[in-house]
Coordinates of all heavy atoms in Angstrom, one line a residue:
M20 N 7.8 6.3 14.4 CA 7.0 7.4 14.7 C 6.4 7.2 16.1 O 6.0 6.1 16.4 CB 5.9 7.7 13.7 CG 6.5 8.0 12.3 SD 5.1 8.3 11.3 CE 5.7 9.8 10.6
S21 N 6.3 8.2 16.8 CA 5.7 8.1 18.1 C 4.5 9.0 18.2 O 4.4 10.1 17.5 CB 6.7 8.5 19.2 OG 7.7 7.7 19.2
G22 N 3.5 8.7 18.9 CA 2.3 9.5 19.1 C 2.3 10.0 20.5 O 3.1 9.6 21.4
G23 N 1.4 10.8 20.8 CA 1.2 11.3 22.2 C 2.0 12.6 22.4 O 2.7 13.1 21.5
G24 N 2.0 13.1 23.6 CA 2.7 14.3 23.9 C 2.7 14.4 25.4 O 2.3 13.5 26.2
G25 N 3.2 15.5 25.9 CA 3.2 15.8 27.3 C 4.3 14.9 28.0 O 5.2 14.4 27.4
G26 N 4.0 14.5 29.2 CA 5.0 13.7 30.0 C 4.8 12.2 29.9 O 5.6 11.5 30.5
G27 N 3.7 11.8 29.3 CA 3.4 10.4 29.2 C 4.4 9.6 28.3 O 5.2 10.2 27.6
G28 N 4.2 8.3 28.3 CA 5.0 7.4 27.4 C 4.6 7.6 26.0 O 3.6 8.2 25.7
T29 N 5.5 7.1 25.1 CA 5.2 7.2 23.7 C 4.5 5.9 23.2 O 4.7 4.9 23.8 CB 6.4 7.5 22.9 OG1 7.4 6.5 23.1 CG2 7.0 8.9 23.3
R30 N 3.8 6.0 22.2 CA 3.1 4.9 21.6 C 3.5 4.8 20.1 O 3.5 5.8 19.4 CB 1.6 5.1 21.7 CG 0.7 4.0 21.2 CD -0.7 4.3 21.4 NE -1.2 5.4 20.7 CZ -1.4 5.4 19.4 NH1 -1.2 4.4 18.6 NH2 -1.9 6.5 18.8
Q31 N 3.7 3.6 19.7 CA 4.0 3.4 18.2 C 2.8 3.6 17.4 O 1.7 3.1 17.7 CB 4.5 1.9 18.1 CG 5.2 1.7 16.8 CD 6.6 2.3 16.7 OE1 7.0 3.1 17.4 NE2 7.3 1.8 15.7
T32 N 3.0 4.4 16.3 CA 1.8 4.7 15.4 C 2.0 4.0 14.0 O 1.1 3.9 13.3 CB 1.7 6.2 15.1 OG1 2.9 6.7 14.5 CG2 1.4 6.9 16.4
Y33 N 3.2 3.4 13.8 CA 3.5 2.8 12.5 C 3.1 1.3 12.5 O 3.3 0.6 13.5 CB 5.0 2.9 12.2 CG 5.4 2.2 10.9 CD1 5.1 2.7 9.7 CD2 6.1 1.0 10.9 CE1 5.4 2.1 8.5 CE2 6.5 0.3 9.8 CZ 6.1 0.9 8.6 OH 6.5 0.2 7.4
I34 N 2.5 0.9 11.4 CA 2.1 -0.5 11.2 C 2.7 -0.9 9.8 O 2.4 -0.3 8.8 CB 0.6 -0.8 11.2 CG1 0.0 -0.3 12.5 CG2 0.3 -2.2 10.9 CD1 -1.6 -0.4 12.5
Q35 N 3.6 -1.9 9.8 CA 4.1 -2.4 8.6 C 3.1 -3.4 8.0 O 2.8 -4.4 8.7 CB 5.5 -3.1 8.8 CG 6.1 -3.6 7.5 CD 7.5 -4.1 7.7 OE1 8.0 -4.2 8.8 NE2 8.1 -4.6 6.6
I36 N 2.7 -3.2 6.8 CA 1.8 -4.1 6.2 C 2.6 -5.2 5.3 O 2.2 -6.3 5.3 CB 0.8 -3.4 5.3 CG1 0.0 -2.4 6.1 CG2 -0.2 -4.4 4.6 CD1 -0.9 -3.0 7.2
G37 N 3.6 -4.7 4.7 CA 4.5 -5.7 4.0 C 4.7 -5.3 2.5 O 4.3 -4.3 2.1
T38 N 5.2 -6.3 1.8 CA 5.5 -6.1 0.4 C 4.5 -6.9 -0.4 O 4.2 -8.0 -0.1 CB 6.9 -6.6 0.1 OG1 7.8 -5.8 0.9 CG2 7.3 -6.4 -1.4
S39 N 4.0 -6.3 -1.5 CA 3.1 -6.9 -2.4 C 3.7 -6.9 -3.8 O 4.5 -6.0 -4.2 CB 1.8 -6.2 -2.5 OG 1.1 -6.2 -1.3
T40 N 3.5 -8.0 -4.6 CA 4.0 -8.0 -5.9 C 2.9 -8.4 -6.9 O 1.9 -9.1 -6.5 CB 5.2 -9.1 -6.0 OG1 4.7 -10.4 -5.7 CG2 6.3 -8.7 -5.1
A41 N 3.1 -8.0 -8.2 CA 2.2 -8.4 -9.2 C 3.0 -8.5 -10.5 O 4.0 -7.8 -10.7 CB 1.1 -7.4 -9.4
N42 N 2.6 -9.4 -11.4 CA 3.2 -9.6 -12.7 C 2.6 -8.7 -13.7 O 1.4 -8.5 -13.6 CB 3.2 -11.1 -13.1 CG 3.9 -12.0 -12.2 OD1 5.0 -11.6 -11.8 ND2 3.4 -13.1 -11.9
Y43 N 3.3 -8.4 -14.7 CA 2.8 -7.6 -15.9 C 3.6 -8.0 -17.1 O 4.7 -8.6 -17.0 CB 2.7 -6.1 -15.6 CG 4.1 -5.5 -15.5 CD1 4.6 -4.8 -16.6 CD2 4.8 -5.5 -14.3 CE1 5.8 -4.1 -16.5 CE2 6.0 -4.9 -14.2 CZ 6.5 -4.2 -15.3 OH 7.8 -3.6 -15.2
T44 N 3.1 -7.6 -18.3 CA 3.8 -7.8 -19.5 C 4.6 -6.6 -20.0 O 4.0 -5.5 -20.1 CB 2.9 -8.3 -20.6 OG1 2.2 -9.4 -20.2 CG2 3.6 -8.6 -21.9
R45 N 5.9 -6.7 -20.1 CA 6.7 -5.6 -20.6 C 6.8 -5.6 -22.1 O 6.2 -6.4 -22.8 CB 8.1 -5.7 -20.0 CG 8.1 -5.7 -18.5 CD 9.5 -5.9 -17.9 NE 10.4 -4.9 -18.4 CZ 11.7 -4.9 -18.2 NH1 12.2 -5.8 -17.5 NH2 12.4 -3.9 -18.6
S46 N 7.4 -4.6 -22.7 CA 7.6 -4.5 -24.1 C 8.3 -5.8 -24.6 O 9.1 -6.3 -23.9 CB 8.3 -3.3 -24.5 OG 9.7 -3.3 -24.0
G47 N 7.9 -6.2 -25.8 CA 8.5 -7.4 -26.4 C 7.9 -8.7 -25.8 O 8.4 -9.8 -26.0
G48 N 6.9 -8.6 -25.0 CA 6.2 -9.8 -24.4 C 6.9 -10.3 -23.2 O 6.5 -11.4 -22.7
R49 N 8.0 -9.7 -22.7 CA 8.7 -10.2 -21.5 C 7.9 -9.9 -20.3 O 7.1 -9.0 -20.2 CB 10.0 -9.4 -21.4 CG 11.0 -9.7 -22.5 CD 12.2 -8.8 -22.4 NE 11.8 -7.4 -22.5 CZ 12.4 -6.3 -22.1 NH1 13.6 -6.5 -21.5 NH2 12.0 -5.1 -22.2
R50 N 8.1 -10.8 -19.3 CA 7.4 -10.6 -18.0 C 8.1 -9.6 -17.1 O 9.3 -9.5 -17.1 CB 7.3 -12.0 -17.3 CG 6.4 -13.0 -17.9 CD 5.0 -12.6 -17.7 NE 4.1 -13.6 -18.3 CZ 2.8 -13.5 -18.3 NH1 2.3 -12.4 -17.9 NH2 2.1 -14.4 -18.8
G51 N 7.3 -8.9 -16.4 CA 7.8 -7.9 -15.5 C 7.2 -8.1 -14.1 O 6.1 -8.8 -14.0
V52 N 7.8 -7.6 -13.1 CA 7.2 -7.7 -11.7 C 7.1 -6.3 -11.1 O 8.1 -5.5 -11.2 CB 8.1 -8.6 -10.8 CG1 7.6 -8.6 -9.4 CG2 8.3 -9.9 -11.4
L53 N 6.0 -5.9 -10.5 CA 5.8 -4.7 -9.8 C 5.8 -5.0 -8.3 O 5.0 -5.9 -7.9 CB 4.5 -4.0 -10.2 CG 4.1 -2.7 -9.4 CD1 5.1 -1.7 -9.7 CD2 2.7 -2.3 -9.8
T54 N 6.7 -4.4 -7.6 CA 6.9 -4.7 -6.1 C 6.7 -3.4 -5.4 O 7.2 -2.4 -5.7 CB 8.3 -5.2 -5.8 OG1 8.5 -6.4 -6.6 CG2 8.5 -5.5 -4.4
V55 N 5.8 -3.5 -4.4 CA 5.4 -2.3 -3.6 C 5.5 -2.6 -2.1 O 4.9 -3.5 -1.7 CB 4.0 -1.8 -4.0 CG1 3.6 -0.6 -3.2 CG2 3.9 -1.6 -5.5
E56 N 6.2 -1.8 -1.4 CA 6.3 -1.9 0.1 C 5.2 -0.9 0.7 O 5.1 0.2 0.3 CB 7.6 -1.5 0.6 CG 8.7 -2.4 0.2 CD 10.1 -2.0 0.7 OE1 10.2 -0.8 1.2 OE2 11.0 -2.8 0.6
T57 N 4.5 -1.4 1.7 CA 3.3 -0.7 2.2 C 3.4 -0.6 3.8 O 3.9 -1.5 4.4 CB 2.0 -1.3 1.8 OG1 1.9 -2.6 2.2 CG2 1.8 -1.3 0.3
G58 N 2.8 0.4 4.3 CA 2.7 0.6 5.7 C 1.6 1.6 6.0 O 1.1 2.3 5.1
L59 N 1.3 1.8 7.3 CA 0.3 2.8 7.8 C 0.9 3.6 8.9 O 1.7 3.1 9.8 CB -0.9 2.1 8.2 CG -1.8 1.3 7.2 CD1 -2.9 0.6 7.9 CD2 -2.3 2.3 6.1
D60 N 0.5 4.8 9.0 CA 0.7 5.7 10.2 C -0.7 6.0 10.8 O -1.5 6.6 10.1 CB 1.4 6.9 9.8 CG 1.7 7.8 11.0 OD1 1.8 7.3 12.1 OD2 1.8 9.0 10.9
V61 N -1.0 5.5 12.0 CA -2.3 5.6 12.6 C -2.1 6.2 14.0 O -1.7 5.5 14.9 CB -3.0 4.3 12.7 CG1 -4.5 4.5 13.1 CG2 -2.9 3.5 11.3
A62 N -2.5 7.4 14.2 CA -2.3 8.1 15.5 C -3.4 7.7 16.5 O -3.1 7.6 17.7 CB -2.2 9.6 15.3
D63 N -4.6 7.6 16.0 CA -5.7 7.2 16.9 C -5.6 5.8 17.4 O -5.4 4.9 16.7 CB -7.0 7.4 16.1 CG -8.2 7.1 17.0 OD1 -8.6 7.9 17.8 OD2 -8.8 5.9 16.8
A64 N -5.6 5.7 18.7 CA -5.4 4.4 19.4 C -6.4 3.3 18.9 O -6.0 2.2 18.6 CB -5.3 4.5 20.9
A65 N -7.7 3.7 18.9 CA -8.7 2.7 18.6 C -8.5 2.3 17.1 O -8.7 1.1 16.8 CB -10.1 3.2 18.8
L66 N -8.3 3.2 16.2 CA -8.1 2.9 14.8 C -6.8 2.1 14.6 O -6.8 1.3 13.7 CB -8.1 4.2 14.0 CG -8.1 4.0 12.5 CD1 -9.3 3.2 12.0 CD2 -8.1 5.4 11.8
H67 N -5.8 2.4 15.4 CA -4.5 1.7 15.3 C -4.8 0.2 15.6 O -4.3 -0.7 14.9 CB -3.5 2.3 16.2 CG -2.2 1.7 16.1 ND1 -1.8 0.5 16.7 CD2 -1.1 2.1 15.4 CE1 -0.5 0.2 16.4 NE2 -0.1 1.2 15.6
T68 N -5.6 -0.1 16.6 CA -5.9 -1.4 17.0 C -6.7 -2.1 15.8 O -6.4 -3.2 15.4 CB -6.7 -1.5 18.3 OG1 -5.9 -0.9 19.3 CG2 -7.1 -2.9 18.6
R69 N -7.7 -1.4 15.3 CA -8.5 -1.9 14.2 C -7.6 -2.2 13.0 O -7.8 -3.2 12.3 CB -9.6 -0.9 13.9 CG -10.5 -1.4 12.7 CD -11.6 -0.3 12.5 NE -12.4 -0.7 11.4 CZ -13.5 -1.3 11.4 NH1 -14.0 -1.7 12.6 NH2 -14.2 -1.6 10.4
A70 N -6.7 -1.3 12.7 CA -5.9 -1.5 11.5 C -5.0 -2.7 11.7 O -4.8 -3.5 10.7 CB -5.0 -0.2 11.2
G71 N -4.4 -2.8 12.9 CA -3.6 -4.0 13.1 C -4.3 -5.3 13.0 O -3.8 -6.3 12.4
Q72 N -5.6 -5.3 13.5 CA -6.4 -6.5 13.3 C -6.8 -6.7 11.9 O -7.2 -7.9 11.5 CB -7.6 -6.4 14.2 CG -7.3 -6.4 15.7 CD -8.5 -6.0 16.6 OE1 -9.4 -5.4 16.1 NE2 -8.3 -6.4 17.9
S73 N -6.9 -5.7 11.1 CA -7.3 -5.8 9.7 C -6.2 -6.0 8.7 O -6.4 -5.9 7.5 CB -8.1 -4.5 9.3 OG -9.2 -4.3 10.2
A74 N -5.0 -6.2 9.2 CA -3.8 -6.3 8.3 C -4.1 -7.4 7.2 O -3.7 -7.1 6.0 CB -2.6 -6.7 9.1
P75 N -4.6 -8.5 7.4 CA -4.8 -9.5 6.3 C -5.8 -8.9 5.3 O -5.6 -9.1 4.1 CB -5.4 -10.7 7.0 CG -4.9 -10.6 8.4 CD -4.9 -9.2 8.7
R76 N -6.9 -8.2 5.7 CA -7.8 -7.6 4.8 C -7.1 -6.5 4.0 O -7.4 -6.3 2.8 CB -9.0 -7.1 5.5 CG -9.9 -8.2 6.1 CD -11.1 -7.7 6.8 NE -11.9 -7.0 5.9 CZ -12.5 -5.8 6.3 NH1 -12.2 -5.3 7.5 NH2 -13.2 -5.1 5.5
L77 N -6.3 -5.7 4.7 CA -5.6 -4.6 4.0 C -4.6 -5.2 3.0 O -4.6 -4.6 1.8 CB -4.8 -3.8 5.0 CG -5.7 -2.9 5.9 CD1 -4.9 -2.4 7.1 CD2 -6.2 -1.7 5.1
R78 N -3.9 -6.2 3.3 CA -3.0 -6.9 2.3 C -3.8 -7.3 1.1 O -3.3 -7.1 0.0 CB -2.2 -8.0 2.9 CG -0.9 -7.6 3.6 CD -0.1 -8.8 4.0 NE -0.7 -9.6 5.1 CZ -0.6 -9.3 6.3 NH1 0.1 -8.3 6.7 NH2 -1.1 -10.1 7.3
A79 N -4.9 -7.9 1.3 CA -5.7 -8.4 0.2 C -6.2 -7.2 -0.7 O -6.1 -7.3 -1.9 CB -6.9 -9.2 0.7
A80 N -6.6 -6.1 -0.1 CA -7.1 -4.9 -0.8 C -5.9 -4.3 -1.6 O -6.0 -3.9 -2.7 CB -7.7 -3.9 0.2
Y81 N -4.7 -4.3 -0.9 CA -3.6 -3.7 -1.6 C -3.1 -4.6 -2.8 O -2.8 -4.1 -3.8 CB -2.4 -3.6 -0.6 CG -2.6 -2.6 0.5 CD1 -1.8 -2.5 1.6 CD2 -3.7 -1.7 0.5 CE1 -2.0 -1.6 2.6 CE2 -3.9 -0.8 1.5 CZ -3.0 -0.7 2.6 OH -3.2 0.1 3.6
N82 N -3.2 -5.9 -2.6 CA -2.8 -6.8 -3.7 C -3.7 -6.6 -4.9 O -3.3 -6.6 -6.0 CB -2.9 -8.2 -3.2 CG -1.7 -8.6 -2.4 OD1 -0.6 -8.0 -2.5 ND2 -1.9 -9.7 -1.6
S83 N -5.0 -6.4 -4.6 CA -6.0 -6.1 -5.7 C -5.6 -4.8 -6.5 O -5.6 -4.8 -7.7 CB -7.4 -6.0 -5.2 OG -7.8 -7.2 -4.7
V84 N -5.3 -3.8 -5.8 CA -5.0 -2.5 -6.4 C -3.7 -2.7 -7.2 O -3.6 -2.2 -8.3 CB -4.8 -1.4 -5.3 CG1 -4.2 -0.1 -6.0 CG2 -6.2 -1.1 -4.7
I85 N -2.7 -3.3 -6.6 CA -1.4 -3.4 -7.2 C -1.4 -4.3 -8.5 O -0.8 -4.0 -9.5 CB -0.3 -3.9 -6.2 CG1 -0.1 -2.8 -5.2 CG2 1.0 -4.3 -6.9 CD1 0.6 -3.2 -3.9
T86 N -2.2 -5.3 -8.4 CA -2.4 -6.2 -9.6 C -3.1 -5.4 -10.7 O -2.7 -5.5 -11.9 CB -3.3 -7.4 -9.2 OG1 -2.6 -8.2 -8.2 CG2 -3.6 -8.3 -10.4
R87 N -4.1 -4.6 -10.4 CA -4.8 -3.8 -11.4 C -3.8 -2.8 -12.0 O -3.8 -2.6 -13.2 CB -6.0 -3.1 -10.8 CG -6.9 -2.4 -11.8 CD -8.2 -1.8 -11.2 NE -7.9 -0.8 -10.2 CZ -8.1 -0.9 -8.9 NH1 -8.6 -2.0 -8.4 NH2 -7.9 0.1 -8.0
V88 N -3.0 -2.1 -11.1 CA -2.1 -1.1 -11.7 C -1.0 -1.8 -12.5 O -0.7 -1.3 -13.6 CB -1.4 -0.3 -10.5 CG1 -0.3 0.5 -10.9 CG2 -2.5 0.6 -9.8
A89 N -0.5 -2.9 -12.1 CA 0.5 -3.6 -12.9 C -0.1 -4.0 -14.2 O 0.6 -3.9 -15.3 CB 0.9 -4.9 -12.1
G90 N -1.4 -4.4 -14.3 CA -2.0 -4.8 -15.5 C -2.2 -3.6 -16.5 O -2.3 -3.8 -17.7
S91 N -2.2 -2.4 -16.0 CA -2.3 -1.2 -16.8 C -1.0 -0.6 -17.3 O -1.0 0.3 -18.1 CB -3.1 -0.1 -16.1 OG -2.3 0.4 -15.0
L92 N 0.1 -1.2 -16.8 CA 1.5 -0.7 -17.2 C 1.7 -1.0 -18.7 O 1.3 -2.1 -19.2 CB 2.6 -1.3 -16.4 CG 2.6 -0.9 -14.9 CD1 3.7 -1.7 -14.2 CD2 2.9 0.6 -14.8
R93 N 2.2 -0.1 -19.4 CA 2.4 -0.2 -20.9 C 3.9 -0.2 -21.2 O 4.6 0.7 -20.8 CB 1.7 0.9 -21.7 CG 0.2 0.9 -21.5 CD -0.4 -0.4 -22.1 NE -1.8 -0.5 -21.8 CZ -2.3 -1.6 -21.1 NH1 -1.5 -2.6 -20.8 NH2 -3.5 -1.6 -20.8
G94 N 4.3 -1.3 -21.9 CA 5.7 -1.3 -22.3 C 6.7 -1.3 -21.1 O 6.5 -1.9 -20.1
D95 N 7.7 -0.4 -21.2 CA 8.6 -0.2 -20.1 C 8.4 1.1 -19.3 O 9.3 1.5 -18.7 CB 10.1 -0.3 -20.7 CG 10.4 -1.6 -21.2 OD1 9.9 -2.6 -20.6 OD2 11.2 -1.7 -22.1
A96 N 7.2 1.6 -19.5 CA 6.9 2.9 -18.8 C 6.8 2.6 -17.2 O 6.4 1.6 -16.8 CB 5.5 3.4 -19.2
P97 N 7.3 3.6 -16.5 CA 7.3 3.4 -15.0 C 5.8 3.5 -14.5 O 5.0 4.2 -15.1 CB 8.2 4.5 -14.5 CG 8.1 5.6 -15.5 CD 8.0 4.8 -16.8
P98 N 5.6 3.0 -13.3 CA 4.2 3.1 -12.8 C 4.0 4.6 -12.3 O 4.9 5.3 -11.9 CB 4.2 2.2 -11.6 CG 5.6 1.9 -11.2 CD 6.4 2.1 -12.5
D99 N 2.7 5.0 -12.3 CA 2.3 6.3 -11.8 C 2.2 6.2 -10.3 O 1.2 5.7 -9.8 CB 1.0 6.7 -12.5 CG 0.5 8.1 -12.1 OD1 1.1 8.6 -11.1 OD2 -0.4 8.6 -12.7
V100 N 3.2 6.6 -9.6 CA 3.3 6.4 -8.2 C 2.3 7.3 -7.5 O 1.7 6.8 -6.4 CB 4.7 6.7 -7.7 CG1 4.8 6.6 -6.2 CG2 5.7 5.8 -8.3
E101 N 2.0 8.4 -8.0 CA 0.9 9.3 -7.4 C -0.4 8.6 -7.4 O -1.1 8.6 -6.4 CB 0.9 10.6 -8.1 CG 2.2 11.4 -8.1 CD 2.4 12.2 -6.8 OE1 1.4 12.6 -6.2 OE2 3.5 12.5 -6.5
R102 N -0.8 8.1 -8.6 CA -2.0 7.3 -8.7 C -2.1 6.1 -7.8 O -3.1 5.8 -7.2 CB -2.2 6.9 -10.2 CG -3.4 6.1 -10.4 CD -3.6 5.6 -11.8 NE -4.4 4.4 -11.9 CZ -4.1 3.4 -12.7 NH1 -3.1 3.4 -13.5 NH2 -4.9 2.4 -12.7
L103 N -1.0 5.4 -7.8 CA -0.9 4.2 -6.9 C -1.1 4.6 -5.5 O -1.9 3.9 -4.8 CB 0.5 3.6 -7.1 CG 0.8 2.3 -6.3 CD1 -0.2 1.2 -6.7 CD2 2.2 1.9 -6.5
A104 N -0.5 5.6 -5.0 CA -0.7 6.1 -3.6 C -2.1 6.5 -3.3 O -2.7 6.1 -2.3 CB 0.3 7.2 -3.3
R105 N -2.7 7.2 -4.2 CA -4.1 7.6 -4.1 C -5.1 6.4 -4.0 O -5.9 6.3 -3.1 CB -4.6 8.5 -5.2 CG -4.2 9.9 -5.1 CD -5.0 10.8 -6.2 NE -4.9 10.3 -7.5 CZ -3.9 10.6 -8.4 NH1 -2.9 11.3 -8.0 NH2 -3.9 10.1 -9.6
E106 N -4.9 5.4 -4.9 CA -5.7 4.2 -4.9 C -5.5 3.4 -3.7 O -6.5 2.8 -3.1 CB -5.5 3.4 -6.2 CG -6.0 4.1 -7.4 CD -6.0 3.3 -8.7 OE1 -6.0 2.0 -8.5 OE2 -5.9 3.8 -9.8
L107 N -4.3 3.3 -3.2 CA -4.0 2.5 -2.0 C -4.5 3.2 -0.7 O -5.0 2.5 0.2 CB -2.5 2.2 -1.8 CG -2.0 1.2 -2.9 CD1 -0.5 1.2 -2.9 CD2 -2.5 -0.2 -2.6
Q108 N -4.5 4.5 -0.7 CA -5.2 5.3 0.4 C -6.7 5.0 0.4 O -7.3 4.8 1.5 CB -4.9 6.8 0.3 CG -5.5 7.6 1.5 CD -4.9 7.2 2.8 OE1 -3.8 7.4 3.1 NE2 -5.8 6.7 3.8
A109 N -7.3 5.1 -0.8 CA -8.7 4.8 -0.9 C -9.1 3.4 -0.4 O -10.0 3.2 0.3 CB -9.2 5.0 -2.3
A110 N -8.2 2.4 -0.8 CA -8.4 1.0 -0.3 C -8.3 0.9 1.2 O -9.0 0.2 1.8 CB -7.4 0.1 -1.0
T111 N -7.4 1.7 1.8 CA -7.2 1.7 3.2 C -8.5 2.2 3.9 O -9.0 1.6 4.8 CB -6.0 2.6 3.6 OG1 -4.8 2.1 3.0 CG2 -5.8 2.7 5.1
D112 N -9.0 3.4 3.4 CA -10.1 4.0 4.0 C -11.4 3.0 3.9 O -12.1 2.9 4.8 CB -10.4 5.3 3.4 CG -9.3 6.3 3.6 OD1 -8.5 6.1 4.6 OD2 -9.3 7.4 2.9
Q113 N -11.5 2.4 2.7 CA -12.6 1.5 2.5 C -12.5 0.3 3.4 O -13.5 -0.1 4.0 CB -12.7 1.1 1.0 CG -13.9 0.3 0.7 CD -14.0 -0.1 -0.8 OE1 -13.1 0.2 -1.5 NE2 -15.1 -0.6 -1.2
T114 N -11.4 -0.3 3.5 CA -11.2 -1.5 4.3 C -11.4 -1.3 5.7 O -12.1 -2.1 6.4 CB -9.8 -2.1 4.0 OG1 -9.6 -2.4 2.6 CG2 -9.6 -3.4 4.8
L115 N -11.0 -0.1 6.2 CA -11.1 0.2 7.6 C -12.5 0.8 8.0 O -12.9 0.9 9.1 CB -10.0 1.1 8.1 CG -8.6 0.5 8.1 CD1 -7.6 1.6 8.5 CD2 -8.5 -0.7 8.9
G116 N -13.2 1.2 6.9 CA -14.5 1.8 7.1 C -14.5 3.2 7.6 O -15.6 3.8 7.9
Q117 N -13.4 3.9 7.5 CA -13.2 5.3 7.9 C -11.9 5.8 7.5 O -11.0 5.0 7.2 CB -13.4 5.5 9.4 CG -12.3 4.9 10.2 CD -12.6 5.0 11.7 OE1 -13.3 4.2 12.3 NE2 -12.0 6.0 12.4
S118 N -11.7 7.1 7.5 CA -10.4 7.7 7.2 C -9.7 7.9 8.5 O -10.3 7.7 9.6 CB -10.6 9.0 6.5 OG -11.3 9.9 7.3
G119 N -8.5 8.3 8.5 CA -7.7 8.5 9.7 C -6.4 7.7 9.8 O -5.5 8.1 10.5
A120 N -6.3 6.7 9.0 CA -5.1 5.9 8.8 C -4.4 6.4 7.6 O -4.9 6.4 6.5 CB -5.3 4.4 8.7
R121 N -3.1 7.0 7.8 CA -2.4 7.5 6.6 C -1.6 6.4 6.0 O -0.7 5.8 6.6 CB -1.5 8.6 7.1 CG -0.9 9.4 6.0 CD -0.1 10.6 6.6 NE 1.2 10.7 5.9 CZ 2.3 11.0 6.5 NH1 2.3 11.3 7.8 NH2 3.4 11.0 5.8
F122 N -1.9 6.2 4.7 CA -1.1 5.1 3.9 C 0.3 5.6 3.7 O 0.5 6.8 3.3 CB -1.9 4.8 2.6 CG -1.1 3.9 1.8 CD1 -1.1 2.5 2.1 CD2 -0.3 4.3 0.7 CE1 -0.3 1.6 1.3 CE2 0.5 3.5 0.0 CZ 0.5 2.1 0.3
L123 N 1.3 4.8 3.9 CA 2.7 5.1 3.6 C 3.2 4.2 2.5 O 3.1 3.0 2.6 CB 3.5 4.9 4.9 CG 3.1 5.7 6.1 CD1 3.9 5.3 7.3 CD2 3.2 7.2 5.8
L124 N 3.7 4.8 1.5 CA 4.2 4.1 0.3 C 5.7 4.0 0.5 O 6.4 5.0 0.6 CB 3.8 4.8 -1.0 CG 4.2 4.1 -2.3 CD1 3.4 2.8 -2.4 CD2 3.7 5.1 -3.4
G125 N 6.2 2.8 0.5 CA 7.7 2.6 0.5 C 8.3 2.5 -0.9 O 7.9 3.2 -1.8
T126 N 9.2 1.6 -1.0 CA 9.8 1.4 -2.3 C 8.8 0.8 -3.3 O 8.1 -0.1 -3.0 CB 11.0 0.4 -2.2 OG1 11.9 0.9 -1.2 CG2 11.7 0.2 -3.5
V127 N 8.9 1.4 -4.6 CA 8.1 0.9 -5.7 C 9.1 0.5 -6.8 O 9.8 1.4 -7.2 CB 7.1 1.9 -6.2 CG1 6.3 1.4 -7.4 CG2 6.1 2.3 -5.1
M128 N 9.1 -0.8 -7.2 CA 10.0 -1.2 -8.2 C 9.3 -1.9 -9.3 O 8.4 -2.8 -9.0 CB 11.1 -2.2 -7.7 CG 12.1 -1.5 -6.7 SD 13.5 -2.6 -6.3 CE 12.6 -4.1 -5.7
A129 N 9.5 -1.5 -10.5 CA 9.0 -2.3 -11.7 C 10.2 -2.8 -12.5 O 11.0 -2.0 -13.0 CB 8.1 -1.3 -12.5
Y130 N 10.3 -4.1 -12.6 CA 11.5 -4.6 -13.3 C 11.1 -5.9 -14.0 O 10.0 -6.4 -13.9 CB 12.6 -4.9 -12.3 CG 12.2 -5.8 -11.1 CD1 12.4 -7.2 -11.2 CD2 11.6 -5.3 -10.0 CE1 12.1 -8.0 -10.1 CE2 11.3 -6.1 -8.9 CZ 11.5 -7.4 -9.0 OH 11.1 -8.2 -7.9

């Protein structure tokens, strides 16, 4: 994604945060893994810089949310992706101290 307009150069707005995983218990007591790919789209230049510098804090916040969501999975039911996205957006806003960074949810796998 590119930001800006007019005749100037383009600026990258995407920040890849990475993949987070958490374990959970599936039906029959088997272990499962929840894997979530995460990223951000940040158009504001100052907030983009702040988000890039806060990547380790964002990963930690995302890991907490994903671990909590994985712990709430029941049996072989799929994760509630809408809820997961809402909670990860809230974690983004809280970690950065403001809104304006759009959380992007990539692949979500529960296996």
